[in-house]
Amino acid sequence: PLFQTERGGSTPTSALQLQIVELDRYVARDLNSLWHSRLPVYNTGFCLNATAAYGAMFEGLYYAAAIWTNPVAQALPQHEWLELRRFAIGPDAPKNTASRMLAVMTRIIRKKLPHVANLISYQDVESHQGTIYKAAGWVATTKHKGGSWNRPNATNSSNGKPRTRPNLNEATGPKIRWEKPLFT
């Protein structure tokens, strides 16, 4: 036939066709390594401590992956807030996959994790415009000038060691923090 009459064929043609599902954190890590625009590989253990991971799936294939953890910034509420640490979209994903996935993940987290009051994510201004957050109803709240993640005078609460790490694992440029309150 000249035109598809049902569904989108083997590749989804609309983000509405994607099913947002819970994802094993190791699968999320592997998908991130395939698709993340700037930080495909990370050597820190945050993936092992992920609170939640989600994928966008269509007919058994993944098109996006997201990993959520407690906020990196120790000054932020550690149990009432979640940070979207990695969000990777595959090259064959349909338009609007990211903003739809953000909206669906927000609803899932609100239901599954009722103690979480606020979601945050950091936009790397050198790579992205923040369009996905705007489209999903998030609000830009804070601008950060960037810089090193090394904190040799701070102690990692999980192992008591200094918080030093190579900057290879994190973008060090300017960022904008986006927030999505779950209870308004």
Side-chain angles (χ1 to χ4, degrees), residues 33-167:
S33 71
L34 291 173
W35 301 326
H36 199 276
S37 61
R38 212 155 138 101
L39 299 166
V41 178
Y42 44 86
N43 296 320
T44 60
F46 78 81
C47 181
L48 301 177
N49 299 320
T51 301
Y54 298 98
M57 174 184 263
F58 179 75
E59 294 191 354
L61 295 176
Y62 289 108
Y63 289 86
I67 300 171
W68 295 84
T69 69
N70 293 342
V72 172
Q74 296 295 311
L76 297 177
Q78 292 296 302
H79 300 288
E80 297 83 22
W81 288 25
L82 276 184
E83 180 177 338
L84 179 58
R85 289 291 301 278
R86 291 291 191 276
F87 196 17
I89 310 298
D92 294 337
K95 185 177 180 181
N96 303 320
T97 293
S99 54
R100 176 164 185 272
M101 193 168 169
L102 279 172
V104 173
M105 287 187 299
T106 298
R107 290 192 297 272
I108 292 170
I109 290 168
R110 184 182 292 134
K111 186 175 181 179
K112 281 195 76 148
L113 303 168
H115 65 281
V116 174
N118 203 39
L119 302 177
I120 63 171
S121 186
Y122 291 89
Q123 168 203 340
D124 181 347
V125 299
E126 294 175 346
S127 299
H128 304 286
Q129 301 295 315
T131 307
I132 64 170
Y133 300 107
K134 289 177 199 170
W138 290 49
V139 177
T141 60
T142 307
K143 293 183 181 181
H144 186 274
K145 64 181 176 170
S148 174
W149 284 86
N150 278 323
R151 301 291 184 265
N153 295 328
T155 303
N156 184 324
S157 60
S158 64
N159 63 18
K161 295 180 180 178
R163 291 183 62 197
T164 58
R165 61 177 80 145
N167 287 324

